């Protein structure tokens, strides 16, 4: 089982930076989702939501290409051998 402690500084920096960006974008998505629950016809908010949804997907794909699965229950593919046994998991750092 690998840990982030054995990584190079640039790997750690990229890992944490991508996680931060994902969290920021997903926070915006949650807020827009809440707004759209009460303003479902706001075309500008819908466009912004879709823009951030694309950005979220792209960031998650980039993260997974570099560090392995980020999401579970079929939302992320796993290489063989099954990669979920590898640490660190995003919630462990």
């Amino acid at each position: 089982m690998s840990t982030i402690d054995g990584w190079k500084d640039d790997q750690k920096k990229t890992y944490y930076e991508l996680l931060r960006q994902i969290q920021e974008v997903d926070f915006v998505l949650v807020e827009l989702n809440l707004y759209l629950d009460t303003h479902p016809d706001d075309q500008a908010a819908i466009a912004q939501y879709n823009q951030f949804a694309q950005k979220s997907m792209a960031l998650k794909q980039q993260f997974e290409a570099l560090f392995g699965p980020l999401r579970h229950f079929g939302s992320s593919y796993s290489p063989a051998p099954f990669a979920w046994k590898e640490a660190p998991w995003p919630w462990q750092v």
Side-chain angles (χ1 to χ4, degrees):
M1 194 179 277
S2 64
T3 66
I4 201 165
D5 294 331
W7 292 0
K8 297 177 184 171
D9 288 342
D10 60 330
Q11 288 174 300
K12 290 179 189 179
K13 182 179 178 184
T14 301
Y15 185 90
Y16 286 114
E17 177 62 23
L18 282 172
L19 275 182
R20 183 190 59 77
Q21 289 177 26
I22 290 167
Q23 291 169 342
E24 288 175 354
V25 169
D26 285 356
F27 177 80
V28 171
L29 285 168
V30 168
E31 293 298 311
L32 284 168
N33 192 99
L34 292 171
Y35 173 80
L36 286 165
D37 282 346
T38 57
H39 301 80
D41 298 319
D42 187 332
Q43 296 298 313
I46 293 168
Q48 192 176 29
Y49 179 89
N50 290 333
Q51 175 188 2
F52 276 91
Q54 287 179 339
K55 187 172 184 174
S56 177
M57 287 185 265
L59 284 167
K60 289 171 183 170
Q61 286 177 333
Q62 182 181 3
F63 181 94
E64 289 177 340
L66 294 170
F67 302 107
L70 178 63
R71 301 161 288 169
H72 52 75
F73 301 119
S75 297
S76 294
Y77 292 107
S78 176
F82 192 61
W84 274 106
K85 66 180 180 63
E86 298 300 323
W89 296 300
W91 55 89
Q92 289 181 307
V93 294

